Amino acid sequence: MLKLNYLNYILIALIGLAICESQKPQEVAVESLDCRKNTCMGLDFPIASKIAYFSEEVTNNLREYESLILHSSHLANLPRKVFLNLPQLVEFDVLECHLQQVERECFEGAENLKILNLGGNNIRVLESNTFELATQLEELNLSDNQLEELPANIFLSLNKLKKINFSNNQLKTISLNTFSKLGSLKSINLDSNKLVELPGELFRDQRKHLTNFSARSNRLEGIPSNIFSEIEGLFLSFNPQLKSLHLTANMDLLQATNCGLESVKLDGRVIGVQLEDNLNLKELKISQPQDLEQLYLANTNLTRLEFLPKASKLVDLDLTGIENLSDLPKISSAKGLERLSFTYDNITSDHMDMLPQLKDLNYLEISHDKGREIFIKDLDEDFFVDEAELDCGQLADLLEFVELPKDTTILEDRLVGDPRRPLRCGAA
Ligand SMILES: *[C@@H]1O[C@H](CO)[C@@H](O)[C@H](O)[C@H]1NC(C)=O
Ligand SMILES: *[C@@H]1O[C@H](CO)[C@@H](O)[C@H](O)[C@H]1NC(C)=O
Ligand SMILES: *[C@@H]1O[C@H](CO)[C@@H](O)[C@H](O)[C@H]1NC(C)=O
Ligand SMILES: *[C@@H]1O[C@H](CO)[C@@H](O)[C@H](O)[C@H]1NC(C)=O
Ligand SMILES: *[C@@H]1O[C@H](CO)[C@@H](O)[C@H](O)[C@H]1NC(C)=O
Ligand SMILES: *[C@@H]1O[C@H](CO)[C@@H](O)[C@H](O)[C@H]1NC(C)=O
């Protein structure tokens, strides 16, 4: 009985080895490179069982460049010996080359590599040691690939990593330790994946210095309230399953438009909040409104904005598409308001006397059942006066951050009675 087990064991081990052996791709030398300066194309190694390698001769003309770009090629495997022959490379881009596999060995000699861009390929799987030898890596771009998961330790040896871009993949989960010990990480982009949740402790090693986190167009159902403590930009738009959001972080900008949000509670210091097109949003609580500068709430179902009287630093406020907003008059305490958009109805109509109090207002957009009106204060006398031949381009320059809504008719106050027709700007 014992003997039989032993035999079984040997047999399984042998099968295992045989499979591994058969997967090792066969090395094929790249015989010539078609390059303009440091951009090479036309490499044709489409079979996964063959791996191209760069020889010393073929890389001769590339020694002076700090970056190398491969594109318009068919490379099932990332080529070998690139860095052994070109150790000076700081950046390596392999773009739209149908890349499927990336071997650990490819990064032998990559001691200066800081930027690796493998965007727009067919990478489905990465091993946990894939980038182990690229220890100086600061920026990693794997957007537009087919990744379904990330091995937990994949970034473990990359403690200089600053920017990660995994947008447009098929990621369903991110495990708790994915970013652990990455003390330099500043920006993470996970847009257009299939993420449903994020572990609460995911950024425990980045609490203080993560600048931007973006997970737009996913399937997020919730965000742990204390996942961040300090972040510049948090981008969560187009997560239709996201119904409620409670965050304690200090944030420069929160963007969560076009979600299914019903309730939002922000306890930290927030400067910019963009929540437009959350048609079910009926509750918004901001505990530190005194720091708010920008607030976009167009097309939400809010009725009260209790915090408005305290939002004294507001510069930019969009309340378009909120009907019956009884708190609108309270914005008169935002003395520095420069841009205001709202929908005019029977309730707001009684309170328009707050407008003259807003001395800095230079852009006013009023929507009502017949359309929209935009009023622009003449900031620069010379700008309109003489010819009054304002064109849409100039207007866009003047408004800077404001995107003109489609089919907007713009009437300039000075031109009342002017026979010229109103100007049409916007998307058209
Ligand atoms: C990342 O790769 C994508 C190609 O898929 C490209 O569009 C994008 O500009 C790259 N980003 C950076 C920062 O290089
Ligand atoms: C990430 O890549 C996408 C293209 O796939 C690009 O649009 C985006 O700007 C990149 N983001 C960062 C932070 O590099
Ligand atoms: C963070 O996002 C802001 C706003 O979109 C952008 O201006 C800034 O360049 C981003 N920073 C990094 C490090 O990606
Ligand atoms: C908006 O709120 C009203 C009253 O609170 C409710 O009847 C209506 O269904 C809500 N609309 C949406 C789109 O949630
Ligand atoms: C706004 O108020 C009017 C009447 O006061 C009411 O008919 C209408 O349904 C209200 N709209 C919303 C979205 O609550
Ligand atoms: C709004 O006011 C107008 C006239 O002042 C009135 O005809 C109309 O019925 C009112 N609409 C609502 C929804 O109260």
Side-chain angles (χ1 to χ4, degrees):
M1 199 60 191
L2 198 71
K3 199 174 168 195
L4 192 66
N5 274 343
Y6 184 64
L7 277 176
N8 275 346
Y9 179 75
I10 299 277
L11 199 62
I12 289 162
L14 281 175
I15 290 169
L17 269 178
I19 289 171
C20 271
E21 208 49 51
S22 74
Q23 278 183 341
K24 272 282 175 205
Q26 182 197 346
E27 250 183 28
V28 186
V30 173
E31 293 188 349
S32 69
L33 274 176
D34 171 15
C35 306
R36 299 241 160 90
K37 293 191 175 163
N38 61 336
T39 302
C40 310
M41 40 202 163
L43 286 153
D44 192 31
F45 296 87
I47 303 167
S49 59
K50 303 220 162 135
I51 183 163
Y53 76 88
F54 281 30
S55 65
E56 220 179 306
E57 303 84 72
V58 95
T59 51
N60 245 336
N61 295 332
L62 295 169
R63 300 260 145 77
E64 59 181 291
Y65 298 109
E66 290 204 335
S67 67
L68 175 64
I69 301 157
L70 308 183
H71 75 78
S72 303
S73 294
H74 210 140
L75 290 164
N77 292 284
L78 192 70
R80 283 186 189 164
K81 301 189 188 167
V82 174
F83 302 104
L84 287 176
N85 287 301
L86 301 168
Q88 84 284 1
L89 285 181
V90 173
E91 176 169 355
F92 187 34
D93 297 0
V94 182
L95 307 171
E96 307 196 21
C97 288
H98 310 274
L99 205 59
Q100 293 166 30
Q101 302 186 69
V102 181
E103 275 187 351
R104 171 185 178 277
E105 288 86 335
C106 298
F107 299 103
E108 279 171 0
E111 54 221 33
N112 290 305
L113 184 67
K114 294 197 171 128
I115 303 173
L116 179 63
N117 189 349
L118 305 177
N121 284 290
N122 298 333
I123 303 169
R124 233 168 251 284
V125 181
L126 292 169
E127 302 298 328
S128 60
N129 64 2
T130 299
F131 301 115
E132 194 176 66
L133 300 173
T135 53
Q136 305 303 304
L137 217 52
E138 292 178 8
E139 292 182 24
L140 179 59
N141 186 353
L142 274 154
S143 72
D144 300 285
N145 276 284
Q146 306 292 330
L147 290 163
E148 287 178 16
E149 59 182 336
L150 294 177
N153 294 327
I154 187 158
F155 304 125
L156 198 60
S157 46
L158 306 183
N159 52 27
K160 299 199 172 155
L161 210 51
K162 290 194 179 119
K163 278 177 94 167
I164 297 180
N165 194 341
F166 279 86
S167 64
N168 275 307
N169 276 280
Q170 308 286 328
L171 297 173
K172 290 193 189 74
T173 57
I174 290 281
S175 80
L176 170 62
N177 295 315
T178 308
F179 305 119
S180 44
K181 307 216 173 67
L182 299 183
S184 310
L185 208 50
K186 287 201 172 335
S187 155
I188 301 172
N189 187 330
L190 298 172
D191 290 354
S192 302
N193 277 284
K194 295 181 172 160
L195 298 171
V196 174
E197 57 176 10
L198 302 172
E201 294 288 295
L202 186 62
F203 301 113
R204 63 186 182 281
D205 294 338
Q206 287 83 28
R207 283 261 150 81
K208 280 288 165 201
H209 47 77
L210 196 64
T211 345
N212 287 356
F213 177 75
S214 189
R216 287 177 279 221
S217 303
N218 274 279
R219 297 170 184 175
L220 290 170
E221 291 174 358
I223 305 284
S225 65
N226 58 353
I227 187 167
F228 307 104
S229 64
E230 191 92 43
I231 189 160
E232 268 174 37
L234 177 57
F235 303 90
L236 300 172
S237 300
F238 295 96
N239 275 287
Q241 271 91 336
L242 195 59
K243 296 217 159 27
S244 119
L245 193 58
H246 176 198
L247 295 168
T248 57
N250 292 334
M251 296 179 279
D252 288 358
L253 176 61
L254 166 67
Q255 193 189 76
T257 72
N258 295 276
C259 294
L261 285 169
E262 292 170 7
S263 147
V264 174
K265 221 171 133 199
L266 305 174
D267 288 338
R269 174 186 52 75
V270 285
I271 297 175
V273 175
Q274 302 180 354
L275 295 171
E276 61 268 32
D277 299 305
N278 279 290
L279 303 183
N280 301 318
L281 182 62
K282 53 178 181 288
E283 183 189 35
L284 172 61
K285 294 216 159 91
I286 296 184
S287 333
Q288 301 186 41
Q290 64 275 16
D291 295 305
L292 261 184
E293 292 176 16
Q294 182 194 60
L295 182 60
Y296 291 173
L297 300 173
N299 307 319
T300 55
N301 205 9
L302 293 161
T303 49
R304 306 294 317 270
L305 298 172
E306 285 96 346
F307 56 83
L308 259 187
K310 291 198 192 123
S312 55
K313 286 195 199 146
L314 262 185
V315 174
D316 195 356
L317 179 62
D318 186 355
L319 303 171
T320 309
I322 309 184
E323 280 180 55
N324 302 347
L325 188 62
S326 49
D327 293 344
L328 186 64
K330 297 184 190 163
I331 56 171
S332 51
S333 52
K335 298 274 181 249
L337 202 66
E338 291 176 18
R339 291 178 288 273
L340 171 64
S341 310
F342 65 89
T343 294
Y344 181 91
D345 58 35
N346 281 9
I347 294 186
T348 45
S349 65
D350 293 339
H351 299 284
M352 283 307 110
D353 46 350
M354 48 93 182
L355 285 178
Q357 298 175 40
L358 302 171
K359 304 276 185 232
D360 291 335
L361 204 62
N362 57 41
Y363 177 89
L364 174 63
E365 181 183 325
I366 302 178
S367 307
H368 45 70
D369 48 3
K370 293 190 201 72
R372 265 177 220 255
E373 291 163 18
I374 295 179
F375 301 87
I376 298 154
K377 192 186 272 176
D378 188 352
L379 292 171
D380 174 358
E381 280 295 313
D382 301 332
F383 195 79
F384 297 103
V385 190
D386 274 3
E387 276 121 64
E389 281 289 338
L390 178 65
D391 69 38
C392 294
Q394 290 170 316
L395 202 58
D397 281 348
L398 181 75
L399 301 180
E400 245 179 310
F401 304 113
V402 182
E403 200 174 313
L404 287 176
K406 288 176 192 172
D407 303 323
T408 305
T409 302
I410 295 170
L411 297 163
E412 209 252 308
D413 207 23
R414 266 166 203 277
L415 300 184
V416 174
D418 191 305
R420 277 171 296 205
R421 286 147 57 93
L423 187 69
R424 286 196 173 271
C425 294

